[in-house]
Amino acid sequence: IFNLPSLSKFQPVLMSSLQSELKSSFEKYWRPNEERLNFLSGYKFVFVGEKGREISSDYRTLVERGRGDIEAFDVGAGMAKWARKLEKEKRWAVKKGGRLTLVADSDEMEKAVGKKGWKAFVDEALK
């Protein structure tokens, strides 16, 4: 049997000089809240990376636990597929009223497709 430690044991200590509005706001957000279970519902995250390394297990877990949607895109697939992927996901966002978030490590993408290549991907995403 494992007993979890008390929540208050890990709660940050607030300075006594902190304004009361900020203290109450902190208390509100610090306490457990069932609404947070679905805090990513309505969001879709498109993780861009090299084949098989588009999304880390930590990010996958975070998005899944927040009830968000996940897509992956292999940067090696090229610009034409990227443009089609973006159009598809933008249609999803409009139809579902959702929010689309593109996630990538710029340094890694520059290594994978070159600086100019990655700039082209970014420019296409910003259209």
Side-chain angles (χ1 to χ4, degrees), residues 38-61:
N38 300 313
F39 80 107
L40 294 177
S41 179
Y43 286 80
K44 184 180 277 192
F45 296 84
V46 177
F47 290 87
V48 181
E50 291 183 281
K51 182 87 172 150
R53 296 188 305 172
E54 298 93 349
I55 177 171
S56 73
S57 61
D58 291 339
Y59 281 131
R60 180 176 296 280
T61 300

Side-chain angles (χ1 to χ4, degrees), residues 1-66:
I1 297 173
F2 179 75
N3 292 320
L4 292 172
S6 165
L7 181 66
S8 62
K9 191 174 184 177
F10 293 93
Q11 182 172 346
V13 177
L14 300 177
M15 296 183 337
S16 60
S17 61
L18 191 63
Q19 297 173 2
S20 61
E21 303 88 42
L22 293 176
K23 282 183 185 179
S24 62
S25 178
F26 173 80
E27 289 294 327
K28 176 184 171 187
Y29 292 110
W30 175 259
R31 299 282 178 232
N33 182 337
E34 292 295 319
E35 292 177 10
R36 290 191 196 126
L37 291 176
N38 300 313
F39 80 107
L40 294 177
S41 179
Y43 286 80
K44 184 180 277 192
F45 296 84
V46 177
F47 290 87
V48 181
E50 291 183 281
K51 182 87 172 150
R53 296 188 305 172
E54 298 93 349
I55 177 171
S56 73
S57 61
D58 291 339
Y59 281 131
R60 180 176 296 280
T61 300
L62 172 71
V63 173
E64 287 173 350
R65 288 188 180 170

Side-chain angles (χ1 to χ4, degrees), residues 48 73 75 78-79 82-83 86 90 102-110 113-127:
V48 181
F73 182 80
V75 75
M79 284 300 299
W82 176 239
L86 289 171
K90 287 176 184 177
L102 306 174
V103 183
D105 181 326
S106 290
D107 293 337
E108 291 300 315
M109 295 303 92
E110 284 182 5
V113 295
K115 213 168 202 162
K116 285 183 181 180
W118 180 239
K119 183 176 179 340
F121 275 86
V122 172
D123 290 345
E124 184 67 31
L126 294 175
K127 280 186 181 178

